[in-house]
Amino acid sequence: MLNYFLKGEKGTRLRFMGMLLSAILVLLSVFTLAQKGLNFGLDFTGGYLTEFTTSQSVELKELQSFIAKNHNGEFELTAQGNSHFQLREAPSASTTANSLDWQSAVTQNDDINAQVLSSAYIGSQVGDELFDQGCLAMFAAMIAVMIYLAVRFEWRLAVGSVVALVHDLILVLGLFSLLQIEFNLTVLASLLAIIGYSLNDSIIVGDRVRELLRVQSNNVLTPATIINNAIKSTLTRTLITSGTTLATVASVWLLAGAPLQGFAIALFTGIVVGTFSSICIAATLPELLGLSAKNYEVKVDAHTQTLLDMP
Amino acid sequence: MLSFKKDKKPSTAKFKLSYIAMLIVLVLLAISALPNLYPNKSWLHISAAPHSETQSLPSTKTLVTFLNKQGLEVEQGLDKQSTINILLNEPTKSAQAQAAIKAQYPNTQVKIVEHATSPTWLQDFGLSPIKLGLDLNGGVLFVLDVDLDKAVDEQLVSAYQQAKSIIIKQKAHGVKAQQTQHGFEINALPNSTDKLTPVIEELQSRFANLAVVTSNNGSVKTAKFSYSEQGRSSFDKEVMGQTLTTLRSRIEELGITEAITQQQGKHRIRIELPGVQDPTEAKRIIGATASLGFYQLKEIGGQTFNMQSGGTIKLDPVPIFTGDHINNANIGRDDWGKPLVQLSLDGQGGDAMSAFSKANIGKPMATVYSEYSQNAKGEVVKKSEVINVANIAQHLSSRFSITNMKSQQAAADLALLLRAGSLTAPVTIVHEQTIGPSLGSENISNGLAALMLGMGITLAFMALWYRRLGLIANVALILNLTSLVGLMSLLPGVVLTLPGIAGLVLTIGMAVDTNVIIFERIKEERRQGRAPYQAIQEGYKQAANTIFDANITTMITALILYGIGYGPVKGFAITLALGLLTSVFTGVYVSKILSQTLYLKMGKKAGVKAHA
């Protein structure tokens, strides 16, 4: 079925429509990011850390649900012992009022009878300069990859891969902004993983485009057809790899529980849009930029030519 | 290049050598992965506190009953001469038990020590399981107090001394600097008031946060320098930021990647270190305040410094340059085998050193080592000592070394501190505590369950889709997981956190990609009419390029993230990079040999059939 759609004109039209869709989604994501911003977790914002003990031992789960009733902001409760707990919460003005609520609730409840040991503001785990450094790292990585690909492939294919990568990151960030899912260090780690995945996907399609362009150096086929053929021949691989990776991510989503939910959501989205963009952007953009078999004519030396001309 | 035609009847002897090499690597990695089957257990070591009677130690029986009463069930209690070793049923609650025992028996010392449970022959090789992160296994918590007042005082003294040298440099006669209660002031006599302004301007360009109030006191013009509230708060912020950065890089120098360093309150810093067995070393390095300065000798005026070898010496109070301009520091030994620290300076420091040494060949230069320490009254005092006075023999550039170090340890510590940066404000450790894991054991088992399920689905799919080749991919995948775990256990800096487990799951999900690319190629070659063995050869050869490009680009990103990133980002980058290495190794090389062998055997058995 898919092969039918990817044949000839239809395939090309499908790719361009996909690219249009991507452009719209990117615009929407940028708009949401500008409007709503990201819901940064405590790792990034810092917050209040309250340590308290209870007179009797209390189960973490029970305490968690008890505090949740008296606290409408986000908080993170950790047990240091059966009767010794730590609570981290956001520093925003609205939650400060609520935080007093939960504190009086736990201290006044007879079953818990908590005693607050200390409450202090703690800074972010990721300082400003580290955040800047992280952004710099991503930027440096993109430039380095672009240079490598431009040397190995061709600048048009390199631009296609990197644009696809930026597209994937923006869409995932857009989703996190739209749903206001907490953005913490674990989610940041998943973004890094998406970089690797997205590049992998784009390069495999790009590699096949390069190969076919070299073989078809007699200019019989149009670049559009060559790209369609390349996508067609890598499609099984793309679907299998995406499928198995999605299966593992889904099992993390289902089994690993709340601490890894954000991670799983980010990766799941990243893999889906990464697969999509490897076809609709990484392979299509070079065509718009004027990729043709001529770009490869000079680079093929006699030695490789004999190899390629082999039956 | 038509070599594959010669391979029509390849002999097993051809890849015997690579066979052996690969087997050795696989076996070594598998052995390194073995200790993970025997996770470490946290024992409580209880001993009498120093300076207290040994009798203050309760008997093992009393302790066990006490802990059982607290709901902390004891699995094993051992009586060892001066210490009692206790293993809990739930070792993750050790931190809680430690606190309980400390509260009940204040005269005891309780340590949490990890005991390996692997067979002794594994331990003899120095092999241990992967270290678990803070979220999975807890660690040590330090709260540091940053003495901001001291830092302000130091800054004011330094500003005062620089003011004096600026006055001399600008030849501003009739202008005099004087220390006051809250800072210092510069007075200008009536006929030299015009010389005051350039001095103030110069000083303000060096100390941006200093506030200056000028007033006319009769005919004398006075400029008072002190910290305004605003200047003070921005100074504090600057110092805290700098202290955090320095501490982070020090912890990194210690080889701990997944530490958490945060500001707590206005002048405190909270550091959580995962899996640190013995916090003594970490404490020594984190709290160290040592700094270096290089000074010119002064015969007239100047400040008096103590010499390490005894006696005093007078130095120019303004250093030629300080340890802040040191780019890199390494330990070494001089011709007599005494430890030394080799330094390389940054541009600014190199220029200062070059200019100074050129103008002062044959003259002495002093190296001053300063450190904050607590005196008998518990006050923090700065102790500065001249460790070395040497004649400048030649025009020095940005590389030189400091000799006369007390010991190898002192040299190593100084080099580490110079690399990681010095602290502008003295810090003291005000709180030290063992903390429990922030995620329960439930999360670990959930993470492992996710790993199992994800892997199960992948294995089942590969076996169904590719049949015989799928089995090869599955063997490669299992070998990949083993090798990755083995590598992670071998490298000292790797700490496994929950996101790390997720990264592992993902690596496994993506690892089959290599095999999928190859197998699809083989199928394609078969469709073009190649015989199975040739198809395998060609498939691997054609796919190698693609796999190489795809993995190199991801490797570039992983390396950059490792180089620039911090903490969890760094940890993730390590897992990613190691995962790439092992997946290429097992997915390309190991599975190639496996499939070749498989088809050769099949070819022998089925004869011509296999070529059909």
Side-chain angles (χ1 to χ4, degrees):
Chain A
M1 273 299 278
L2 272 161
N3 281 354
Y4 168 76
F5 281 114
L6 286 169
K7 236 175 232 165
E9 279 294 298
K10 278 191 193 108
T12 316
R13 203 179 304 148
L14 212 63
R15 279 192 289 122
F16 278 103
M17 271 161 71
M19 195 150 145
L20 194 68
L21 179 67
S22 285
I24 294 168
L25 286 177
V26 166
L27 281 180
L28 281 177
S29 299
V30 171
F31 180 73
T32 341
L33 277 169
Q35 282 290 310
K36 285 186 161 180
L38 283 170
N39 176 17
F40 282 108
L42 292 176
D43 296 348
F44 288 97
T45 57
Y48 281 94
L49 178 79
T50 309
E51 265 189 75
F52 61 96
T53 53
T54 54
S55 57
Q56 299 144 29
S57 55
V58 183
E59 278 293 316
L60 182 66
K61 272 185 193 161
E62 286 171 27
L63 194 62
Q64 175 92 30
S65 59
F66 179 79
I67 295 176
K69 273 182 225 155
N70 296 290
H71 194 297
N72 56 3
E74 275 188 52
F75 67 93
E76 203 176 287
L77 185 72
T78 50
Q80 301 296 101
N82 269 354
S83 55
H84 187 183
F85 298 91
Q86 264 187 7
L87 187 135
R88 285 167 201 246
E89 60 193 320
S92 70
S94 60
T95 34
T96 338
N98 287 321
S99 75
L100 291 174
D101 283 343
W102 78 260
Q103 278 195 20
S104 50
V106 286
T107 41
Q108 278 156 23
N109 185 298
D110 285 336
D111 287 334
I112 299 169
N113 200 4
Q115 201 180 356
V116 175
L117 297 178
S118 70
S119 184
Y121 178 77
I122 56 165
S124 65
Q125 220 186 95
V126 187
D128 284 345
E129 90 279 1
L130 287 171
F131 193 73
D132 293 349
Q133 254 179 20
C135 293
L136 184 75
M138 286 222 189
F139 195 67
M142 277 180 206
I143 298 286
V145 165
M146 196 125 103
I147 291 171
Y148 177 81
L149 288 181
V151 171
R152 278 288 289 179
F153 291 86
E154 219 269 332
W155 70 266
R156 294 175 185 88
L157 284 170
V159 169
S161 302
V162 174
V163 170
L165 166 63
V166 175
H167 160 268
D168 299 347
L169 292 178
I170 289 179
L171 285 197
V172 174
L173 285 175
L175 183 79
F176 269 72
S177 166
L178 185 70
L179 301 178
Q180 288 290 299
I181 306 169
E182 190 188 319
F183 188 90
N184 52 28
L185 277 174
T186 326
V187 177
L188 184 72
S190 70
L191 284 188
L192 305 179
I194 291 171
I195 295 182
Y197 191 87
S198 164
L199 277 174
N200 202 42
D201 253 7
S202 307
I203 285 165
I204 281 154
V205 178
D207 181 70
R208 195 53 80 98
V209 172
R210 169 178 67 166
E211 193 189 321
L212 291 180
L213 277 175
R214 278 181 177 165
V215 176
Q216 307 293 346
S217 53
N218 44 9
N219 286 339
V220 177
L221 296 173
T222 58
T225 323
I226 287 173
I227 289 171
N228 285 346
N229 286 346
I231 291 171
K232 213 169 76 185
S233 53
T234 49
L235 195 67
T236 327
R237 174 262 148 199
T238 308
L239 291 182
I240 291 176
T241 305
S242 299
T244 52
T245 318
L246 278 180
T248 43
V249 173
S251 58
V252 170
W253 194 342
L254 289 176
L255 293 180
L260 283 181
Q261 202 111 66
F263 181 91
I265 294 172
L267 265 184
F268 201 92
T269 332
I271 291 165
V272 172
V273 296
T275 311
F276 182 71
S277 71
S278 74
I279 294 171
C280 294
I281 296 179
T284 312
L285 196 62
E287 190 186 332
L288 283 182
L289 291 172
L291 183 80
S292 75
K294 277 180 195 149
N295 304 133
Y296 279 99
E297 270 177 352
V298 211
K299 286 174 193 166
V300 181
D301 54 28
H303 175 76
T304 328
Q305 196 61 53
T306 41
L307 192 78
L308 291 170
D309 289 344
M310 275 182 333
Chain B
M1 277 317 287
L2 301 172
S3 63
F4 68 90
K5 283 199 171 158
K6 288 178 213 154
D7 291 342
K8 250 183 178 167
K9 283 175 188 168
S11 62
T12 28
K14 203 184 160 194
F15 31 75
K16 230 170 199 169
L17 196 70
S18 49
Y19 244 152
I20 295 167
M22 207 166 285
L23 212 65
I24 291 174
V25 172
L26 282 174
V27 167
L28 281 182
L29 288 176
I31 290 175
S32 323
L34 261 185
N36 291 291
L37 294 176
Y38 310 92
N40 283 350
K41 279 185 177 161
S42 309
W43 284 69
L44 291 162
H45 283 196
I46 302 126
S47 58
H51 319 299
S52 75
E53 307 256 323
T54 345
Q55 280 82 353
S56 64
L57 192 65
S59 77
T60 315
K61 220 176 167 184
T62 353
L63 266 176
V64 171
T65 19
F66 167 71
L67 286 174
N68 280 336
K69 246 185 212 164
Q70 298 279 314
L72 303 158
E73 274 165 51
V74 175
E75 189 175 305
Q76 210 179 346
L78 291 177
D79 209 351
K80 297 249 173 101
Q81 287 177 349
S82 58
T83 56
I84 298 170
N85 296 357
I86 285 178
L87 174 68
L88 296 179
N89 258 347
E90 289 171 81
T92 42
K93 287 189 172 163
S94 296
Q96 191 188 343
Q98 182 191 32
I101 295 172
K102 263 190 183 159
Q104 182 77 8
Y105 306 101
N107 278 332
T108 56
Q109 207 176 21
V110 189
K111 270 194 223 163
I112 296 176
V113 182
E114 300 266 304
H115 283 211
T117 52
S118 51
T120 33
W121 65 272
L122 277 178
Q123 291 179 39
D124 289 343
F125 279 126
L127 298 172
S128 55
I130 304 179
K131 280 187 222 68
L132 297 179
L134 275 170
D135 50 352
L136 302 180
N137 201 32
V140 189
L141 163 77
F142 294 114
V143 178
L144 305 178
D145 187 78
V146 183
D147 196 341
L148 292 169
D149 294 334
K150 196 88 191 168
V152 166
D153 290 349
E154 286 283 330
Q155 191 77 352
L156 278 173
V157 170
S158 161
Y160 162 68
Q161 273 158 354
Q162 295 213 14
K164 283 206 292 190
S165 72
I166 289 170
I167 291 168
I168 295 168
K169 219 183 200 172
Q170 294 192 347
K171 299 198 173 75
H173 301 293
V175 179
K176 205 167 179 272
Q178 201 175 359
Q179 266 182 304
T180 60
Q181 213 177 354
H182 299 291
F184 65 96
E185 56 185 36
I186 302 177
N187 300 312
L189 293 174
N191 48 4
S192 44
T193 42
D194 54 324
K195 288 174 186 158
L196 184 62
T197 333
V199 173
I200 295 174
E201 273 168 8
E202 175 72 28
L203 201 59
Q204 277 194 314
S205 72
R206 293 189 197 181
F207 299 90
N209 292 328
L210 269 185
V212 57
V213 182
T214 45
S215 60
N216 285 315
N217 196 357
S219 55
V220 179
K221 198 171 181 188
T222 307
K224 282 192 173 135
F225 288 87
S226 62
Y227 275 98
S228 66
E229 208 154 290
Q230 202 187 352
R232 173 72 203 254
S233 83
S234 70
F235 175 78
D236 287 357
K237 220 171 155 185
E238 217 170 87
V239 170
M240 287 307 284
Q242 204 177 351
T243 312
L244 275 172
T245 314
T246 306
L247 287 175
R248 278 181 183 141
S249 55
R250 279 186 186 181
I251 293 167
E252 218 152 273
E253 285 276 348
L254 283 171
I256 304 168
T257 46
E258 300 268 356
I260 295 177
T261 315
Q262 298 167 282
Q263 182 170 348
Q264 175 173 347
K266 227 174 177 180
H267 53 92
R268 296 227 156 145
I269 289 173
R270 181 186 174 88
I271 299 176
E272 294 174 30
L273 301 177
V276 171
Q277 292 287 314
D278 183 15
T280 337
E281 195 204 353
K283 256 162 90 175
R284 198 181 73 234
I285 297 299
I286 288 169
T289 50
S291 61
L292 270 193
F294 299 88
Y295 292 82
Q296 195 176 358
L297 264 64
K298 268 251 160 114
E299 273 154 34
I300 314 148
Q303 204 183 341
T304 313
F305 282 84
N306 289 322
M307 302 269 284
Q308 195 179 45
S309 47
T312 57
I313 194 168
K314 287 201 161 194
L315 303 176
D316 185 345
V318 181
I320 307 160
F321 66 91
T322 60
D324 298 341
H325 294 296
I326 292 170
N327 253 352
N328 199 6
N330 290 301
I331 51 166
R333 285 184 183 278
D334 63 10
D335 298 342
W336 294 276
K338 278 179 82 177
L340 57 79
V341 180
Q342 291 160 340
L343 304 176
S344 74
L345 303 176
D346 64 5
Q348 215 183 335
D351 289 347
M353 187 67 187
S354 171
F356 175 79
S357 61
K358 201 173 172 185
N360 293 284
I361 290 177
K363 286 182 190 162
M365 179 182 82
T367 310
V368 177
Y369 178 94
S370 316
E371 204 173 13
Y372 288 101
S373 61
Q374 278 189 335
N375 63 11
K377 284 184 203 158
E379 291 164 337
V380 177
V381 280
K382 189 174 187 174
K383 197 179 116 194
S384 294
E385 241 179 8
V386 177
I387 52 169
N388 179 321
V389 179
N391 281 324
I392 297 167
Q394 71 213 47
H395 180 190
L396 294 169
S397 66
S398 58
R399 299 185 142 272
F400 63 101
S401 42
I402 307 169
T403 51
N404 212 4
M405 293 306 300
K406 260 187 213 159
S407 65
Q408 185 76 19
Q409 181 72 62
D413 279 3
L414 181 65
L416 190 154
L417 293 179
L418 289 174
R419 280 197 304 268
S422 55
L423 296 171
T424 15
V427 294
T428 36
I429 295 174
V430 288
H431 183 67
E432 182 192 336
Q433 185 198 333
T434 315
I435 49 168
S438 52
L439 297 170
S441 50
E442 207 182 322
N443 289 98
I444 306 179
S445 47
N446 284 346
L448 289 178
L451 183 68
M452 290 299 166
L453 182 66
M455 197 148 166
I457 295 173
T458 311
L459 291 178
F461 176 81
M462 290 301 277
L464 286 176
W465 189 264
Y466 290 110
R467 304 293 162 95
R468 199 176 289 119
L469 280 174
L471 287 181
I472 291 169
N474 288 345
V475 172
L477 191 60
I478 291 166
L479 286 176
N480 183 19
L481 185 63
T482 322
S483 312
L484 184 54
V485 170
L487 262 185
M488 286 176 77
S489 322
L490 275 183
L491 293 180
V494 181
V495 176
L496 193 66
T497 53
L498 196 59
I501 294 182
L504 213 62
V505 175
L506 184 74
T507 313
I508 297 306
M510 280 177 72
V512 285
D513 187 42
T514 314
N515 283 111
V516 172
I517 294 172
I518 296 166
F519 294 165
E520 286 301 313
R521 259 298 153 127
I522 294 176
K523 276 191 172 176
E524 227 169 279
E525 300 290 328
R526 289 281 283 142
R527 273 200 291 273
Q528 283 170 21
R530 283 200 214 282
Y533 188 77
Q534 283 173 11
I536 289 175
Q537 288 281 73
E538 272 302 286
Y540 275 96
K541 208 165 88 188
Q542 295 287 341
N545 248 335
T546 318
I547 293 167
F548 181 75
D549 278 328
N551 283 298
I552 282 280
T553 38
T554 316
M555 190 58 114
I556 293 175
T557 30
L559 289 181
I560 290 177
L561 290 175
Y562 179 77
I564 312 183
Y566 161 78
V569 174
K570 209 166 200 160
F572 193 84
I574 296 176
T575 322
L576 189 63
L578 293 181
L580 287 178
L581 287 179
T582 56
S583 76
V584 169
F585 174 65
T586 55
V588 179
Y589 296 99
V590 177
S591 69
K592 183 179 180 183
I593 285 193
L594 283 178
S595 22
Q596 281 173 339
T597 325
L598 188 79
Y599 272 85
L600 273 184
K601 281 226 171 114
M602 230 181 55
K604 269 181 199 161
K605 267 187 198 164
V608 205
K609 249 190 196 170
H611 286 263

